[in-house]
Amino acid sequence: MAYNEKVLEHYEKPRNVGSMDKNDVHVGTGMVGAPACGDVMKLQIRVNDAGVIDDAKFKTFGCGSAIASSSLVTEWIKGKTIDQALSIKNKDIAEELALPPVKIHCSVLAEDAIRSAVEDYRKKQKGGADANGN
Amino acid sequence: MKLPIYMDYQATTPVDPRVLEVMIPWFTEKFGNPASRSHPFGWEAENAVEHARVQVATMIGADPREIVFTSGATESNNIAILGIARFHKARGNHIITTVIEHKAVLDACRHLESEGFEVTYLPVGQNGRLDLQLLADTINDRTILVSVMAANNEIGVIQPLEGIGAICRKRGVHFHCDAAQGAGKLAMDVNALNVDLVSISGHKIYGPKGIGALYVRRRPRVRLQAVMFGGGHERGMRSGTLPTPLIVGLGEASALCTREMVAENARILALRQRMEQGIMQQLTHVSINGDTLHRLAGNLNISFAYVEGESMMMAIKDIAVSSGSACTSASLEPSYVLRALGVNEELAHTSIRFGLGRFTTEAEVDYAVRIVVDAVNRLREMSPLWEMVQEGVDLNAVRWAEH
């Protein structure tokens, strides 16, 4: 299919591809999707003491829209607080990239990836506080 | 080198310039209707059609009177399957085909199920080939038709046609072969193969689109019910004015295949092997889908593990190929052909079909190999699955959130 220019742009020059140390307590890792479905997204966020996401990285196995959606999300969440990041909806992603109906699931996956990364971060913070408490 | 490079010869082929040249006069100055018996315009068109009929027949070792012109292999498949089933339904209602047939065969069979026919869709082995014993065991007293393709469009795997033909002949069952991908590329002789009906496509053999043929055996005579009704053209099996320029094109394309097949196959096979080796030597976790021996010279279907097919096609956009990935279809299901081979869904999503043909050059193959290797390396760097595999994670042991 012929892709929208924004998708192509992100696909050709993906932002923030890479990985961060998943054992770092400041890093939250989200992994969503399944290889059998043809889409797997890994999104990592690093949150500073002020509760702001100061870095984000992704790796994605999937079609051009899936790669573009994850690239876009890393760009959007950097510099945002966790709550601001969580307010990003799949609709926003789909609109920005002008995704056709068959590709909407890519934007849903990207939204899920944010939630999953935040969840992992929060779990670690809780675990970390407990450890400190002991 | 001209970009993009066409490597999708199983989808369609360009019209050979030599074919086009002989077609042109039949559009303009020689425009007569081959069915017009009353003037020279009709006579010359009829002669041209009959000449083309000989050319097509020769390609498959048939008699010209056994060739029916159609609009393409889809129509040929429909006439053969619906036509045989409906004509012989008093004798039996059972049809056998395989799960990897083209949709034109599968959908025609599905339709017959709604008319009360029973269809058995046989599985194929991991190499994509039909097991002859399984076929023999599946035929019963009510079986009237076996329909098996010559070569598969996605994986290029060639079926054991001679064995299938022998079984069908012995059991008195009609054998139809969808040879859209095989005719003109494989040495096919309808008598050696004991095949009763053969579907042929023009645009897969460097002829024009919109023309095809159906071989219908005369001895022993194969009878079928027409699907298209009208002026009784083509011995009543396919009514409709004959498109002379297209038929002339199909004839010339067939003649070129007959003449050049051996040399062409050798050349294309060498190119495919060059491509295969170039890729295999530079990349790991790469697998070829389908039998590598019983295979069309020009088909290379490869799964590049951990790299999704559609993003791969975007990365190699200077090479026109197709993919078994779901993302290329509206269905969101990966290739049913690859799934039938037991290729898991994950690998089916990573498959790319490279189709080489008459006009593919060595320089194009070398360029394609370079682009493919670069793209796979780049996309694997971006793939979380590749990263996990490098870390020693067993992907099958991971609990994925299916969506």
Side-chain angles (χ1 to χ4, degrees), chain B residues 39-252:
Chain B
H39 49 68
F41 293 90
W43 303 336
E44 70 176 356
E46 191 191 11
N47 285 341
V49 166
E50 294 316 310
H51 178 62
R53 206 184 293 282
V54 172
Q55 290 173 312
V56 175
T58 305
M59 179 172 70
I60 56 169
D63 183 291
R65 290 170 294 178
E66 297 175 312
I67 301 298
V68 173
F69 290 114
T70 67
S71 62
T74 289
E75 188 187 342
S76 299
N77 288 337
N78 273 271
I79 297 175
I81 293 167
L82 302 177
I84 289 288
R86 288 171 183 165
F87 191 93
H88 297 277
K89 67 177 175 217
R91 219 181 85 204
N93 71 337
H94 182 226
I95 294 162
I96 299 172
T97 187
T98 79
V99 292
I100 63 164
E101 296 301 307
H102 190 270
K103 289 285 182 194
V105 168
L106 294 176
D107 282 3
C109 288
R110 283 257 179 262
H111 178 79
L112 284 174
E113 287 184 72
S114 73
E115 290 184 18
F117 289 89
E118 274 175 37
V119 183
T120 304
Y121 302 89
L122 292 178
V124 291
Q126 272 189 343
N127 59 358
R129 299 190 95 208
L130 176 63
D131 176 24
L132 292 176
Q133 191 56 50
L134 177 64
L135 172 66
D137 293 345
T138 309
I139 294 175
N140 62 40
D141 322 337
R142 291 170 297 110
T143 309
I144 50 175
L145 175 67
V146 169
S147 180
V148 178
M149 66 199 335
N152 183 269
N153 45 309
E154 288 189 34
I155 52 176
V157 170
I158 298 163
Q159 295 299 338
L161 299 180
E162 203 168 339
I164 297 168
I167 291 169
C168 291
R169 181 55 57 89
K170 192 172 141 206
R171 305 286 291 273
V173 177
H174 292 106
F175 173 27
H176 165 247
C177 178
D178 171 9
Q181 299 285 348
K185 288 162 195 152
L186 309 172
M188 285 183 78
D189 181 293
V190 290
N191 293 316
L193 297 177
N194 284 308
V195 62
D196 298 306
L197 302 118
V198 178
S199 300
I200 294 169
S201 166
H203 74 103
K204 307 287 193 194
I205 59 169
Y206 311 93
K209 293 168 181 63
I211 188 71
L214 177 65
Y215 159 81
V216 184
R217 178 174 288 283
R218 279 167 65 90
R219 289 213 180 94
R221 187 171 174 208
V222 170
R223 305 190 66 187
L224 50 80
Q225 196 185 95
V227 174
M228 188 90 79
F229 300 97
H233 307 74
E234 300 296 273
R235 291 181 290 130
M237 282 189 264
R238 205 280 189 177
S239 285
T241 296
L242 294 171
T244 315
L246 301 182
I247 289 172
V248 166
L250 174 61
E252 187 63 19

